[in-house]
Amino acid sequence: MKKLALIAAGLLLAGSAFAQQALFGPAGVESPVINEDGTVTFRYRAPKAVRVTLSGDFLPVQKVKMGDREFEMQAPVDLKEGQNGVWEYTTDFKVAPEMYTYTFSVDGNSVIDPNNVFVNRDVATVSSVLLVPQEGARSDLYAIHRVPHGTVSKVWYPSATAGFDRRMTVYTPAGYEKNTKTRYPVLYVLHGIGGDEDAWVTQGRATQILDNLIARGQAKPMIVVFTNGNISQEAAPLENSMNYTRPTMSLPQTMEGTFESAFPEVVKFIDANYRTIAKKQSRAICGLSMGGFHTLYITLNNPDMFNYSGMFSAAIGTGSEERAAHKEIYADMDAKLATYFSKKPALLWIGIGNSDFLIQANNDFRKKLDAAGYPYEYMETDGGHIWRNWRIYLTEFVPKLFK
Amino acid sequence: MKKLALIAAGLLLAGSAFAQQALFGPAGVESPVINEDGTVTFRYRAPKAVRVTLSGDFLPVQKVKMGDREFEMQAPVDLKEGQNGVWEYTTDFKVAPEMYTYTFSVDGNSVIDPNNVFVNRDVATVSSVLLVPQEGARSDLYAIHRVPHGTVSKVWYPSATAGFDRRMTVYTPAGYEKNTKTRYPVLYVLHGIGGDEDAWVTQGRATQILDNLIARGQAKPMIVVFTNGNISQEAAPLENSMNYTRPTMSLPQTMEGTFESAFPEVVKFIDANYRTIAKKQSRAICGLSMGGFHTLYITLNNPDMFNYSGMFSAAIGTGSEERAAHKEIYADMDAKLATYFSKKPALLWIGIGNSDFLIQANNDFRKKLDAAGYPYEYMETDGGHIWRNWRIYLTEFVPKLFK
């Protein structure tokens, strides 16, 4: 490999240090390392740094005071400087099988781990990923295995409502291309505020979950459609013709009814372009946070469209319904619930974390369902408004579909 | 939007500061800003920092001494601290239309711009992206426009050579799904050492280039296939079942003939699964750096397969041929060149930067072609072994195909 090393040196040295293809970061530091005893070691090279800390959602929850409020949070931990300016931290506990994200803070500046190629983008935030899979553990569903893989496509559909083409992600299960006579049920999966059509595939590991559940025989082969819920936008950053420098909470047409009222055009496009089973019995929808809110209202306004609906940490009860442009979407909840349940949907599924700030609103909604005797399934997990929970909910919801 | 602001506040405050969905970075700082006079302003908030610099491939080239060697490089520039700890730098020149990448260095630690949602991953390196499009400029091809968009799919194919399924990216042009009787020519596009099947789509903006050239009538509608040239790997990081913590130069089976000898199985898979015109006249191949090397040898070893071949900054003459596992792939260059040219291929295209460290090897190769009177087209551009050049070469090569 001597000559290859020469090429590498050439690539790294030749001409401009920056403009050359940035091949690799500084070599020789291994991070993260899952140790044999189940602990994990993190390293970061920073010879001039005064303090290096690690934030990650695998760290123990502690009570932390911020001003006059106390929060339960996973407080950062300090790395210790060792030889050659390499800082290091090893957990004093086994890190449970899961998919985590983490960043370092170097003298106050947040950085990803340059020695870890697993990087996730969530809008403008980039984090390093630590995946600890274990046979039999749920997180094993998040890993890639040597099972048949579906195809994941970025597809543009014409939105009459928006007046331009919009991008979605479509998963077709393994075998879709070969089995040209087979028709498939469809699951629509919606993201949260600030997300886009990439979010469930990157942070949510949805296509790995689908591949693995289908390969195990725990889910039916199905088409899965990941929409972009920001109807005023065409697509994720860098795939957008608009001057989209930074998403803000004031993105127009968010949670005011336009996306929900336009949803049938998405279903129509999918039914026209894929081999779907185009009827209620073979359609499901679910979403997280804003997407759970979307799911509820799309379901109620189209009671003949979806047989299975999943609300994951749904952002209901936020008051946005009152100031909506399309008030009709949010109006007459009681009557719409009555119509919806009179048509005997196969499943309304609700999941939320016990420390999610939306749990009260979800409890209120469940009380309304209980009072009317409407059936639903409910799952409460530890933790808050986090991707760990949304991945869990997807692994729970998908096996219940199209049975 | 008051209630939406409350949701946002809720999302940001609720429970754990880290484990909650990281929605947005610190607000109120705009960066980068393309000013009306064509200059660009960059900002970074770092109240405690001592020094903040900016590196980017739009900065002017300077001579810089490193040890006893002098390099021409785009040296970092200093930001100045202003109010509220916001550091700022405005170029003293118009930034020409192009796609650039940049990072900040905060007291020696490289960070991306948290206020810019445009982020590119290149293996383990993450950079912020500045795209300056301008009507009529080449960089306008790199931007998303409201033109018909092709579909971009991540597809797994069974590799008999590797013994497992491997991932590729497949672009089908706009209209492919509707025009079910139409068959299309195919272009295969290969990445460099350290890249993967995502590289040409993220750093290379290849699907935008294709969409725009086709919409302008400057290129034929075609299927484009982006392979993963690391035959010992299944896929890009996070899509790989192997314990793939970090790519190194010693990835097994790199530039030793296995990928090249296995390439016909890729062509066979595409011809079997897409509506291709499955003959030499309608097949093209090109690649950058290692991918240019692959392109040369795949072409020469399969003289009836490709009518158009493009070598972009090809990593030829590195000596890796001598220690190859599959020496036959690299053997008998002169005889293979004679056979190849005797079959009158439509185009051999060679492009390289005038300060690329591989220019001597490419000049030597061209001398060999010249001496034998073999025809080829050649383009020499400014700069080195960089993505800017590879995007340029793709925009030059694609319009010449399948005419």
Side-chain angles (χ1 to χ4, degrees):
Chain A
M1 305 305 287
K2 213 179 267 178
K3 283 283 169 69
L4 278 182
L6 283 179
I7 304 175
L11 283 166
L12 292 171
L13 286 175
S16 148
F18 184 83
Q20 298 302 320
Q21 185 182 21
L23 273 177
F24 306 109
V29 177
E30 240 187 305
S31 176
V33 177
I34 303 174
N35 302 307
E36 282 196 13
D37 62 2
T39 62
V40 178
T41 299
F42 299 84
R43 297 190 182 94
Y44 188 86
R45 193 171 171 279
K48 291 182 186 169
V50 175
R51 188 179 181 197
V52 180
T53 63
L54 168 72
S55 295
D57 51 3
F58 51 86
L59 292 170
V61 171
Q62 300 173 27
K63 295 200 174 188
V64 175
K65 272 215 152 189
M66 279 190 180
D68 56 352
R69 291 185 65 176
E70 194 179 59
F71 294 93
E72 288 208 335
M73 61 181 286
Q74 290 157 309
V77 292
D78 276 284
L79 281 74
K80 282 205 176 115
E81 190 171 7
Q83 288 192 317
N84 301 320
V86 176
W87 297 67
E88 188 173 307
Y89 164 78
T90 300
T91 62
D92 55 8
F93 53 91
K94 288 184 189 197
V95 176
E98 225 336 306
M99 178 172 156
Y100 304 99
T101 52
Y102 69 95
T103 53
F104 295 115
S105 175
V106 184
D107 296 337
N109 298 303
S110 177
V111 292
I112 59 168
D113 185 343
N115 294 293
N116 181 351
V117 292
F118 295 169
V119 174
N120 256 347
R121 176 188 66 83
D122 189 21
V123 198
T125 306
V126 183
S127 306
S128 294
V129 175
L130 169 67
L131 179 57
V132 186
Q134 184 179 288
E135 218 182 300
R138 192 190 299 264
S139 65
D140 208 31
L141 291 170
Y142 311 154
I144 296 269
H145 295 284
R146 290 197 175 164
V147 299
H149 299 294
T151 295
V152 182
S153 300
K154 303 294 176 182
V155 178
W156 295 75
Y157 76 99
S159 170
T161 305
F164 44 76
D165 291 355
R166 305 188 67 242
R167 194 167 173 260
M168 54 169 70
T169 306
V170 179
Y171 169 91
T172 47
Y176 180 89
E177 290 85 0
K178 287 280 174 221
N179 307 323
T180 55
K181 301 279 181 238
T182 308
R183 302 190 78 87
Y184 295 84
V186 185
L187 165 64
Y188 294 85
V189 182
L190 316 184
H191 62 77
I193 203 167
D196 55 48
E197 73 275 18
D198 294 340
W200 267 105
V201 175
T202 52
Q203 304 277 65
R205 300 297 278 175
T207 63
Q208 285 79 25
I209 291 169
L210 264 293
D211 278 353
N212 290 321
L213 285 175
I214 292 170
R216 292 179 185 183
Q218 293 172 4
K220 299 266 184 196
M222 62 184 83
I223 296 167
V224 186
V225 178
F226 307 90
T227 50
N228 182 317
N230 304 306
I231 189 84
S232 67
Q233 298 288 331
E234 296 160 272
L238 273 176
E239 301 291 341
N240 210 307
S241 77
M242 286 173 271
N243 195 7
Y244 183 15
T245 52
R246 180 179 172 72
T248 68
M249 283 303 167
S250 57
L251 267 185
Q253 296 180 293
T254 301
M255 294 177 77
E256 47 69 276
T258 309
F259 178 72
E260 298 93 318
S261 67
F263 204 80
E265 71 184 20
V266 172
V267 176
K268 203 173 155 188
F269 173 83
I270 293 295
D271 283 338
N273 287 275
Y274 292 85
R275 295 195 314 278
T276 65
I277 307 170
K279 52 187 182 187
K280 176 180 175 179
Q281 277 64 27
S282 299
R283 275 198 213 102
I285 186 169
C286 65
L288 74 90
S289 194
M290 176 179 84
F293 169 96
H294 284 156
T295 292
L296 173 64
Y297 290 107
I298 291 168
T299 298
L300 292 186
N301 284 283
N302 300 279
D304 296 315
M305 199 171 273
F306 299 100
N307 209 19
Y308 306 83
S309 298
M311 297 163 62
F312 305 168
S313 313
I316 51 177
T318 59
S320 54
E321 299 91 331
E322 297 152 27
R323 64 198 70 240
H326 296 264
K327 284 206 175 51
E328 73 283 2
I329 292 294
Y330 306 119
D332 306 320
M333 162 79 90
D334 291 344
K336 284 175 182 168
L337 281 171
T339 304
Y340 166 67
F341 280 106
S342 76
K343 291 167 182 271
K344 303 209 176 305
L347 177 65
L348 176 63
W349 193 94
I350 300 173
I352 194 159
N354 56 18
S355 63
D356 193 307
F357 74 104
L358 290 165
I359 194 163
Q360 187 56 50
N362 275 260
N363 285 343
D364 292 346
F365 181 67
R366 290 197 299 120
K367 270 182 209 147
K368 181 193 272 288
L369 298 178
D370 291 339
Y374 295 141
Y376 63 92
E377 289 185 26
Y378 180 61
M379 181 182 201
E380 197 170 298
T381 49
D382 282 340
H385 206 70
I386 55 177
W387 271 107
R388 185 177 73 210
N389 277 335
W390 304 325
R391 287 188 295 264
I392 290 173
Y393 303 154
L394 192 70
T395 67
E396 293 285 325
F397 185 65
V398 164
K400 297 176 188 291
L401 305 179
F402 316 126
K403 296 278 156 145
Chain B
M1 304 306 285
K2 214 179 265 178
K3 283 283 169 65
L4 278 182
L6 283 178
I7 305 175
L11 284 166
L12 292 170
L13 286 175
S16 149
F18 184 82
Q20 298 302 321
Q21 185 182 22
L23 275 177
F24 306 109
V29 177
E30 241 187 305
S31 176
V33 177
I34 303 173
N35 302 308
E36 282 196 13
D37 61 1
T39 63
V40 179
T41 300
F42 299 84
R43 297 189 181 94
Y44 188 86
R45 194 172 172 278
K48 293 182 184 169
V50 175
R51 188 180 183 198
V52 180
T53 63
L54 168 73
S55 295
D57 51 4
F58 51 87
L59 292 169
V61 171
Q62 299 172 29
K63 295 200 175 187
V64 175
K65 273 216 153 186
M66 281 191 179
D68 56 351
R69 291 186 63 176
E70 193 178 60
F71 295 93
E72 289 208 335
M73 62 181 285
Q74 290 157 309
V77 291
D78 276 283
L79 282 75
K80 281 207 176 113
E81 190 170 7
Q83 287 192 316
N84 303 318
V86 176
W87 297 67
E88 188 173 307
Y89 164 78
T90 299
T91 62
D92 55 7
F93 52 90
K94 289 185 189 196
V95 177
E98 224 337 305
M99 179 173 157
Y100 304 99
T101 52
Y102 68 96
T103 53
F104 294 116
S105 175
V106 184
D107 296 336
N109 299 302
S110 178
V111 293
I112 60 169
D113 185 342
N115 294 293
N116 182 352
V117 293
F118 296 170
V119 174
N120 257 346
R121 176 188 66 83
D122 189 21
V123 198
T125 305
V126 183
S127 306
S128 294
V129 175
L130 169 66
L131 178 58
V132 185
Q134 184 178 288
E135 218 181 301
R138 192 190 300 263
S139 65
D140 207 31
L141 291 169
Y142 312 154
I144 296 269
H145 296 285
R146 290 197 175 164
V147 299
H149 298 294
T151 296
V152 181
S153 301
K154 303 294 175 181
V155 178
W156 294 76
Y157 75 100
S159 170
T161 305
F164 45 77
D165 290 357
R166 306 189 67 243
R167 194 166 172 261
M168 54 170 70
T169 305
V170 179
Y171 169 91
T172 48
Y176 180 87
E177 291 84 0
K178 289 280 173 218
N179 307 323
T180 55
K181 302 279 182 236
T182 309
R183 304 191 76 87
Y184 295 84
V186 185
L187 165 64
Y188 294 84
V189 181
L190 315 184
H191 62 77
I193 203 166
D196 54 50
E197 73 274 18
D198 294 341
W200 267 105
V201 175
T202 53
Q203 304 276 65
R205 301 295 278 176
T207 63
Q208 285 80 23
I209 291 169
L210 265 292
D211 277 353
N212 291 321
L213 285 175
I214 292 170
R216 292 180 185 182
Q218 293 172 3
K220 300 265 185 195
M222 62 184 82
I223 297 167
V224 187
V225 177
F226 307 91
T227 49
N228 182 317
N230 304 306
I231 189 84
S232 67
Q233 297 287 332
E234 294 161 272
L238 272 175
E239 301 290 343
N240 210 309
S241 77
M242 287 172 271
N243 195 8
Y244 183 16
T245 52
R246 182 182 171 71
T248 67
M249 282 304 167
S250 57
L251 267 185
Q253 296 180 294
T254 301
M255 295 177 77
E256 46 70 277
T258 309
F259 178 73
E260 297 93 317
S261 67
F263 204 80
E265 71 185 20
V266 172
V267 176
K268 203 172 155 189
F269 173 83
I270 293 296
D271 283 338
N273 286 276
Y274 292 85
R275 294 194 314 278
T276 64
I277 307 170
K279 51 188 184 184
K280 175 179 176 180
Q281 277 66 24
S282 299
R283 274 199 213 101
I285 186 169
C286 66
L288 74 89
S289 194
M290 176 179 85
F293 169 96
H294 284 156
T295 292
L296 173 63
Y297 289 107
I298 291 168
T299 298
L300 292 185
N301 284 283
N302 300 278
D304 295 316
M305 198 171 274
F306 300 99
N307 208 19
Y308 306 83
S309 299
M311 297 164 61
F312 304 169
S313 312
I316 50 177
T318 60
S320 53
E321 299 91 332
E322 297 152 26
R323 67 197 69 239
H326 296 263
K327 283 204 175 52
E328 73 282 3
I329 292 293
Y330 306 119
D332 306 321
M333 162 78 90
D334 291 344
K336 285 175 182 169
L337 280 172
T339 304
Y340 166 67
F341 280 105
S342 77
K343 291 167 183 270
K344 305 210 177 304
L347 178 64
L348 175 63
W349 194 93
I350 300 172
I352 193 157
N354 56 19
S355 63
D356 193 308
F357 73 104
L358 290 165
I359 195 165
Q360 189 54 51
N362 276 259
N363 285 342
D364 291 347
F365 180 68
R366 291 196 299 119
K367 268 181 211 149
K368 180 193 274 288
L369 298 179
D370 291 338
Y374 295 140
Y376 63 93
E377 289 186 24
Y378 179 63
M379 181 184 202
E380 196 170 298
T381 50
D382 281 340
H385 206 70
I386 55 176
W387 271 106
R388 185 177 74 210
N389 277 335
W390 303 325
R391 286 188 294 264
I392 290 171
Y393 304 155
L394 192 70
T395 67
E396 293 286 325
F397 185 64
V398 164
K400 297 175 188 290
L401 305 179
F402 316 126
K403 297 277 156 148

